[in-house]
Amino acid sequence: MSEIPLLLLLLLVIAILLRLDFVYYLVYVLAGSYILARWRTGRNLNQLRIVRRYTDHIFLGETVGVDIEIANTSWWPVPWLRCDETSPHSLATGSGAIRQVIALRPKERTRLHYDLVGRRRGCYELGPALLSTGDLFGFAEAHGRMEQRDYLTVYPRVIPLGQLRLTSRSPLGTIKSQQHIFADPARITGVREYRAGDPLRSVDWKNSARVGQLQVKKHEPAVSLTSLIVLEMNTESFGRQTRVSASEWGIVVAASLANHLVGQRQAVGLACNGLDALTGAACWTISPRPGRVHLMRLLEWLARVQTTETPPLADWLPAATVDLAWGATVIIVAPTGDEAICRASHRLLQRGLNPVLVVIESYYQFGVVRERARRLGFTAQMVADERDLRQWAFAAAGAQRLII
Amino acid sequence: MNPTQAPRHPSFQDYQDISWTNSAYRSLLSAVVATSAIAAPLAVMQTITAWRLGYLLPMAFAAALEGVYSTLQLGRPRWRDRRGLAFRLGEIALWLVLARAAVWAFATGWPGLVELARWLRDPILFFDGQFVVTGVLFLLAWGLSIGLTGDFLDLALRPDEVAAHDSHEWGDSRSQLRVYYPVSRGAIVNRLAARWIWGGLLVVFCAAVSRVEISTSPRFTQIGLSQLGLPREILAALLCYFVAGLLLMSQARLAVLRSQWYNGDLQVPPTLLRRWPLNSLLTVLLVVAIAALLPIGSTGWLATALETVLAFLMRVAYLVLTVLTFLFTLLLYPLSFLFRQPGAQAPPPPPRMEIPTQQQAVSRLPDWLGGALLWVVLVLIGGYFLLNYLSAHGLLSGRWREWLQQLRFWWRARWAGLRAHAHTAAVTLRKRLQSARLTRLEVLGGRHIRLSALAPAERIRYFYLRAIGRAADRGLTRPPHKTPLEFIPDLVSEWPEADVDVKALTDAFVAARYDRRPIVADEARDVQGVFRRVMAALRGKADLTADGRKADRTPRVEKAL
């Protein structure tokens, strides 16, 4: 069809030379069709309003529907519009994308729909939606793409934990502590007879008057867990074979711990030496804060984080915990409990923090690590899989029951 | 299992793009474009002749429709046995017959006996100009419609594409084995568009030229108009050519997009495909309506401006051409004496040869015989193709079929009789030729050879062959697989008294026939004595065994000598 302009020119020459009015008319018809087709095709894409509507954060296993709403804002129809929306392969259902051709009448609005399943945590870019349109005669064709960038975040898996024994040295808090020296005066569990040495401020004068003997208030021991979860995502720290699975499991453990602690109304922070896929930040820290909103923020960052080549956790740990207050708990989620991490944890202990080392890769000589940690004054726990995590929680709950 | 859910074996129709090929809209457009294309030559013919050609466009439309229909039918699998040149020649024969009948019916009137006799004597008179023009235009419309329909058949989805598309739905593991052969539909559309565009230009040019004559004009050219209008039907046909062509281009575009979408597994709402012809038609009608409201070209300011520009350009071109011609003439002027031949006179023309006329050459034959033979051949060939075409369409059934069957049997019987007569005549002729050949051989072998005229080697060969011939006459023929040396024992066993002479004669023959050594006359003379003795021995055997009487012992060669 590229010869149409030449045909028009020759027809025009014939019409002028021979002064034939009907040839002028033919030129009008052909040129009108040609110009109209090219003019409208060039403007069709600009006069489309395309919006992608969906829930941008989902949990693992959830299905989200994505609607692409296309509206023709002009008074001229779009004879055909091809829309190719590429969706993330790991989330796709069916053919995996929208590949559809539609026609739009003037001012018509239509909606294309497809579903995504959150099979794997991550932050996924939707689209881009490639658009192509043209005229009815093959004179012109236009291509474009939807410039709006949309992302879908799939939160990491969260395993509900019953009770975990995570302590701090802070004397005030809302979680019961196994260390009875940290009694919370706001939590009165009962009274008992006065013993020598009991402070006078703990005497329950009203009950003493009623009973006729000095009675002392019994306080529930409690601590305030300002916790920071430190997640190791340095590529070199993981074994080559288990790099993907272990890092993913570490994220699950971190998310589960954060969920648990926030459920306990504690302030939780997150520090990681991995790469945030959206912002490109490496070695980032989120300050501890309480609340569900903050938890969702933590989960969102955990959804996006990727392993990368960053400084080892042992080197970066002092910088990540520099803002923590005395007595805060630092939960280190790392693939190994090597000597460097243990020494870094010990330095945290010396600073008045309460480090807890969680090793997420299976290690047959973990007893050595645990003994090393015990000697250095902190605890180490191997949580290589979901069963280990549940056993850890169960053992913690049992121990607490025994103590209480 | 529910019977309604039982798996159905796919048929070939499942792989045919029937919804595309059966479109009446596209067929109609193809026929309209093909018919409109002949409007321009028709206008030219109307200008230069006084023929009545009003019937031509409707009949050309019918020819185009027939071409579309037959092409669509031939594209179907059940018609594949009818594809070929014979079917198309049948169509051509049909439309030539109809063209001839149309010319008679609508223009010249039906012929009388006088015309029939004239055509018999001079068949070329049958093909008068009006018939030729009508036939050519019919065939042009018919051929264009076939080409257009064929292109759109090529643009349809092919069975391998349908199969590949179906297999994609089964999953990648099964579809790897079924990959369709890609078709360059873009190239087909480009070819179609180029044909339409350049054909349109030709059509417009022909139609325009048919209304133009050379006249003097003060403006810029020597070309002016003699009339400003074309007949309405021609104008309508020209407009139809471009409008229907645009709609056909729209259909071609749809075909390309449709195949891309289909092979790319895109979801396409059926309404889009259904509305496509209507949308394209509305768009074209809108443009046509708007164009009708615009000022007529030659009176508009744009046309005036363009005309002025064109006039200026043509004047410049004319001036440049004149200057170049003048310069070239100046350049060649000094060399003009090289080509001048003073005093040279043209040689006298050769005397005219008196060529006898055809009538004089075949004056012994009746003057209508050649024409009759030509007509018989034409009728037979045309009739064959016509019958082939009609039977392909299933039109020859019932009583017509029986009649044709009887005709075929009658012809076979006549043909068998003719073959029998020919065979008898051939046998008779062969016998006569054989007897004549035998007679000639006897004449050559017996009495009319002069030995003295032969070379010595030839003479020895003659002696041997003569002796072998005599032995054959006596009942001992040399088998073809035996060499002369191998034949010696047979001769000796029959004529033991001549064993030495037989061997000597055979050796001499072998030497004369196969040896490079030259044979001298004395040697031939010696062999002649041997030959006589051998012949005498052969005669003696015959005399004794055949009839007991003593035959003439003088060899016939000696008589010759």
Coordinates of all heavy atoms in Angstrom, one line a residue, chain A residues 355-383:
Chain A
P355 N 21.6 -10.4 72.1 CA 21.6 -11.1 70.8 C 21.1 -12.5 70.9 O 21.3 -13.2 71.9 CB 23.1 -11.1 70.4 CG 23.8 -11.1 71.7 CD 23.0 -10.4 72.7
V356 N 20.4 -12.9 69.8 CA 19.9 -14.3 69.7 C 20.3 -14.7 68.3 O 19.9 -14.0 67.3 CB 18.4 -14.4 69.9 CG1 17.9 -15.8 69.6 CG2 18.0 -13.9 71.3
L357 N 21.0 -15.8 68.2 CA 21.5 -16.2 66.9 C 20.6 -17.3 66.4 O 20.4 -18.3 67.1 CB 22.9 -16.7 66.9 CG 23.5 -17.3 65.6 CD1 23.5 -16.2 64.5 CD2 24.9 -17.8 65.9
V358 N 20.0 -17.1 65.2 CA 19.1 -18.2 64.6 C 19.8 -18.6 63.3 O 20.0 -17.8 62.4 CB 17.7 -17.6 64.3 CG1 16.8 -18.6 63.6 CG2 17.1 -17.1 65.5
V359 N 20.2 -19.9 63.3 CA 20.9 -20.4 62.1 C 19.9 -21.1 61.3 O 19.2 -22.0 61.8 CB 22.0 -21.4 62.6 CG1 22.7 -22.0 61.4 CG2 23.0 -20.7 63.5
I360 N 19.9 -20.8 60.0 CA 18.8 -21.3 59.2 C 19.2 -22.3 58.2 O 18.4 -22.9 57.5 CB 18.2 -20.1 58.4 CG1 19.3 -19.4 57.6 CG2 17.4 -19.2 59.2 CD1 18.7 -18.3 56.6
E361 N 20.5 -22.7 58.2 CA 20.9 -23.8 57.4 C 21.3 -24.9 58.3 O 21.9 -24.7 59.4 CB 22.2 -23.4 56.5 CG 21.8 -22.8 55.2 CD 23.0 -22.7 54.3 OE1 24.1 -23.3 54.6 OE2 22.9 -22.0 53.3
S362 N 20.9 -26.1 57.8 CA 21.2 -27.3 58.6 C 22.7 -27.5 58.8 O 23.4 -27.4 57.8 CB 20.5 -28.5 58.0 OG 20.8 -29.6 58.8
Y363 N 23.1 -27.8 60.0 CA 24.5 -27.9 60.3 C 24.7 -29.0 61.3 O 24.2 -29.0 62.4 CB 25.1 -26.6 60.8 CG 26.6 -26.6 61.1 CD1 27.5 -27.2 60.1 CD2 27.2 -26.1 62.2 CE1 28.8 -27.1 60.3 CE2 28.5 -26.1 62.4 CZ 29.4 -26.6 61.5 OH 30.7 -26.6 61.7
Y364 N 25.4 -30.1 60.9 CA 25.5 -31.3 61.8 C 26.3 -31.1 63.0 O 26.2 -31.8 64.0 CB 26.0 -32.5 61.0 CG 27.4 -32.4 60.7 CD1 28.3 -33.2 61.4 CD2 27.9 -31.7 59.6 CE1 29.7 -33.2 61.1 CE2 29.2 -31.7 59.3 CZ 30.1 -32.4 60.0 OH 31.5 -32.4 59.7
Q365 N 27.1 -30.1 63.1 CA 27.9 -29.8 64.2 C 27.4 -28.5 64.9 O 28.2 -27.6 65.3 CB 29.4 -29.6 63.9 CG 30.1 -30.9 63.6 CD 31.6 -30.8 63.4 OE1 32.0 -29.8 62.9 NE2 32.3 -31.9 63.7
F366 N 26.1 -28.4 64.9 CA 25.5 -27.1 65.5 C 25.8 -27.1 67.0 O 25.8 -26.0 67.6 CB 24.0 -27.1 65.2 CG 23.4 -25.8 65.7 CD1 23.6 -24.6 65.2 CD2 22.6 -25.9 66.9 CE1 23.1 -23.5 65.7 CE2 22.0 -24.7 67.4 CZ 22.3 -23.5 66.8
G367 N 26.0 -28.2 67.6 CA 26.3 -28.2 69.0 C 27.6 -27.4 69.4 O 27.6 -26.7 70.4
V368 N 28.5 -27.4 68.5 CA 29.7 -26.6 68.7 C 29.3 -25.1 68.7 O 29.8 -24.3 69.5 CB 30.7 -26.9 67.6 CG1 31.9 -26.0 67.7 CG2 31.1 -28.4 67.6
V369 N 28.5 -24.7 67.7 CA 28.0 -23.3 67.6 C 27.3 -23.0 68.9 O 27.5 -21.9 69.5 CB 27.2 -23.2 66.4 CG1 26.7 -21.7 66.3 CG2 28.0 -23.5 65.1
R370 N 26.4 -23.9 69.3 CA 25.6 -23.5 70.5 C 26.5 -23.4 71.7 O 26.3 -22.5 72.5 CB 24.6 -24.6 70.7 CG 23.7 -24.4 71.9 CD 22.7 -25.6 72.1 NE 21.8 -25.6 71.0 CZ 21.1 -26.7 70.8 NH1 21.3 -27.8 71.4 NH2 20.2 -26.7 69.8
E371 N 27.5 -24.2 71.9 CA 28.3 -24.2 73.0 C 29.2 -22.9 73.0 O 29.4 -22.2 74.0 CB 29.3 -25.4 73.0 CG 30.2 -25.4 74.2 CD 29.5 -25.4 75.6 OE1 28.3 -25.8 75.6 OE2 30.1 -25.0 76.6
R372 N 29.6 -22.6 71.8 CA 30.4 -21.3 71.6 C 29.5 -20.1 72.0 O 30.0 -19.2 72.7 CB 30.8 -21.2 70.2 CG 31.7 -20.0 69.9 CD 31.9 -19.7 68.4 NE 32.6 -20.8 67.8 CZ 32.4 -21.2 66.5 NH1 31.4 -20.6 65.8 NH2 33.1 -22.1 66.0
A373 N 28.3 -20.1 71.6 CA 27.4 -19.0 71.9 C 27.1 -19.0 73.4 O 27.1 -17.9 74.0 CB 26.1 -19.2 71.1
R374 N 27.0 -20.2 74.0 CA 26.7 -20.2 75.4 C 27.9 -19.6 76.2 O 27.7 -18.8 77.1 CB 26.4 -21.6 75.9 CG 25.9 -21.7 77.3 CD 25.8 -23.2 77.7 NE 27.1 -23.8 77.8 CZ 28.0 -23.6 78.8 NH1 27.6 -22.8 79.8 NH2 29.2 -24.2 78.8
R375 N 29.1 -20.0 75.8 CA 30.2 -19.4 76.5 C 30.4 -17.9 76.3 O 30.9 -17.2 77.1 CB 31.5 -20.1 75.9 CG 31.6 -21.6 76.4 CD 32.9 -22.2 76.0 NE 32.9 -23.6 76.4 CZ 34.0 -24.4 76.2 NH1 35.0 -23.9 75.6 NH2 34.0 -25.6 76.7
L376 N 29.9 -17.5 75.1 CA 30.0 -16.0 74.9 C 28.9 -15.3 75.5 O 28.8 -14.0 75.4 CB 30.1 -15.7 73.4 CG 31.4 -16.2 72.7 CD1 31.3 -16.0 71.2 CD2 32.6 -15.4 73.2
G377 N 27.9 -16.0 76.0 CA 26.8 -15.3 76.7 C 25.5 -15.1 76.0 O 24.7 -14.3 76.4
F378 N 25.3 -15.7 74.9 CA 24.0 -15.5 74.2 C 23.6 -16.9 73.8 O 24.3 -17.9 73.9 CB 24.1 -14.6 73.0 CG 25.1 -15.0 72.0 CD1 24.6 -15.7 70.9 CD2 26.4 -14.7 72.1 CE1 25.5 -16.1 69.9 CE2 27.3 -15.1 71.1 CZ 26.9 -15.8 70.0
T379 N 22.4 -16.9 73.2 CA 21.8 -18.2 72.8 C 21.8 -18.3 71.3 O 21.8 -17.4 70.6 CB 20.3 -18.3 73.3 OG1 19.6 -17.3 72.7 CG2 20.2 -18.4 74.8
A380 N 22.0 -19.6 70.9 CA 21.9 -19.9 69.4 C 20.9 -21.0 69.2 O 20.8 -21.9 70.0 CB 23.3 -20.3 68.9
Q381 N 20.2 -20.8 68.1 CA 19.1 -21.8 67.8 C 19.2 -22.1 66.3 O 19.4 -21.2 65.5 CB 17.8 -21.2 68.1 CG 16.6 -22.1 68.0 CD 16.6 -23.2 69.1 OE1 17.0 -22.9 70.2 NE2 16.1 -24.4 68.7
M382 N 19.2 -23.4 66.0 CA 19.1 -23.8 64.6 C 17.7 -24.0 64.2 O 17.0 -24.9 64.7 CB 20.0 -25.1 64.4 CG 20.1 -25.4 62.9 SD 21.1 -26.8 62.6 CE 20.1 -28.2 63.0
V383 N 17.3 -23.3 63.2 CA 15.9 -23.4 62.6 C 16.1 -23.7 61.1 O 16.0 -22.7 60.3 CB 15.1 -22.1 62.9 CG1 13.7 -22.3 62.4 CG2 15.1 -21.8 64.4

